[in-house]
Amino acid sequence: MDWPKAKTSMIVLLLFINLVLIAFLSARAWSGAAETRRESEALLSLLREAGLEVSSSALSDETAYVCDIPRDSAAELTAVTALNGGAVTMQNLGGGSFEMTGAAWSAHFRADATFSCQPNFPVPTQDPEAQCARWLRAMGFWMALEEPVFEPTTAGLHLQADVNGLPLWGAGIDFVLEDGALTSFSGRWPLGTPQITSRAPCKTAGWCLLSLASGLSAQGVSPGALVELSLGYNAELISTDVLRLTPFWRADLDSGRYYINAMTGQFFGSLT
């Protein structure tokens, strides 16, 4: 047998097979992309029929899962100890409320993850954002965020709460500033560790928007156009020690803001 010729023939055959496989996989990928485009176009058409104008780029593919956050009283105590830079005393007020007092600060933590902190005397600061960031880092807040993004308010500053890299709707921390001094800060931000309770992912952005548009149209409300869509969580206290976090899409339409339960499709004008 002519081995060099057989070897060359084998190499050519393998190259041919590889080319065939590449062509087959490319065709499948093109077919899949075409099918995805058709599905997207069909969904956009359904949304338009329901009265909602949406661009294809707005149909986010983000997902999230229902989580529970058990209360971490030890983390709360550690946070207030860090804020004071030393030991604190803790008093159980009942009903899941604890009051902690130190040499510089007093704090009140509640079962629903709300809290308030007051310095024993006003704290002058020339750079409020940097000072607030240092306190929050020491206390263990916003661990999923690289840098805090403060928003100015009439009373001082606001920081949006974050869980698993997603916003916790209607929650955050508000800092009160008076005459260049911090007089208090309070808000809602769980310090416990989120635990996924179900591996069932939330509904897609398109599915939830269709549910919203259809529901508004049924109420005689014209949905208008989608301005912005974001995925986050809504927190609900299910026991004195556990918060249930449910994924919610927040849809900003030119006709108003709505929150859509990403597990059921039910929508609300506001969250409590």
Side-chain angles (χ1 to χ4, degrees):
M1 178 180 290
D2 190 344
W3 286 110
K5 182 181 290 187
K7 184 177 180 181
T8 301
S9 299
M10 183 64 70
I11 292 173
V12 171
L13 178 61
L14 289 173
L15 288 173
F16 175 76
I17 292 173
N18 284 335
L19 289 173
V20 170
L21 286 173
I22 291 171
F24 174 73
L25 294 174
S26 298
R28 285 190 61 182
W30 182 87
S31 176
E35 182 65 24
T36 300
R37 284 195 299 272
R38 285 193 292 271
E39 291 176 355
S40 178
E41 290 168 1
L43 175 59
L44 292 174
S45 178
L46 288 172
L47 288 168
R48 282 192 294 270
E49 289 177 9
L52 181 60
E53 287 294 330
V54 180
S55 67
S56 57
S57 60
L59 298 179
S60 169
D61 58 358
E62 280 187 287
T63 193
Y65 303 87
V66 175
C67 298
D68 284 352
I69 301 185
R71 184 176 186 178
D72 191 340
S73 298
E76 296 170 0
L77 179 60
T78 298
V80 181
T81 300
L83 185 61
N84 275 280
V88 300
T89 59
M90 183 167 67
Q91 181 182 4
N92 188 343
L93 302 179
S97 294
F98 292 89
E99 188 172 67
M100 289 165 261
T101 306
W105 291 79
S106 298
H108 188 182
F109 279 79
R110 306 168 189 87
D112 61 355
T114 60
F115 68 93
S116 57
C117 298
Q118 295 82 31
N120 297 338
F121 43 85
V123 181
T125 175
Q126 294 182 343
D127 189 344
E129 291 193 11
Q131 182 64 66
C132 292
R134 284 195 292 271
W135 281 325
L136 295 180
R137 281 196 182 93
M139 295 176 73
F141 286 106
W142 102 81
M143 288 171 287
L145 297 178
E146 293 181 1
E147 288 295 333
V149 180
F150 293 98
E151 300 173 9
T153 65
T154 55
L157 298 171
H158 174 77
L159 179 64
Q160 169 68 51
D162 172 277
V163 177
N164 286 343
L166 294 176
L168 182 59
W169 300 129
I173 303 176
D174 292 293
F175 301 85
V176 178
L177 299 165
E178 295 180 7
D179 300 324
L182 180 72
T183 60
S184 68
F185 65 91
S186 60
R188 189 185 199 192
W189 197 320
L191 282 171
T193 302
Q195 300 174 359
I196 294 176
T197 60
S198 171
R199 284 293 173 181
C202 68
K203 303 294 186 183
T204 64
W207 187 92
C208 289
L209 285 173
L210 187 57
S211 177
L212 171 64
S214 300
L216 290 176
S217 297
Q219 296 174 8
V221 177
S222 176
L226 177 69
V227 178
E228 185 177 4
L229 183 69
S230 305
L231 182 61
Y233 289 106
N234 181 51
E236 177 187 6
L237 189 65
I238 61 174
S239 76
T240 55
D241 294 312
V242 180
L243 276 179
R244 169 70 49 83
L245 268 56
T246 303
F248 267 70
W249 290 97
R250 189 181 72 182
D252 288 317
L253 312 183
D254 55 13
S255 59
R257 169 172 287 179
Y258 297 91
Y259 295 88
I260 315 165
N261 187 318
M263 307 306 292
T264 66
Q266 189 176 9
F267 61 90
F268 308 87
S270 62
L271 295 175
T272 56

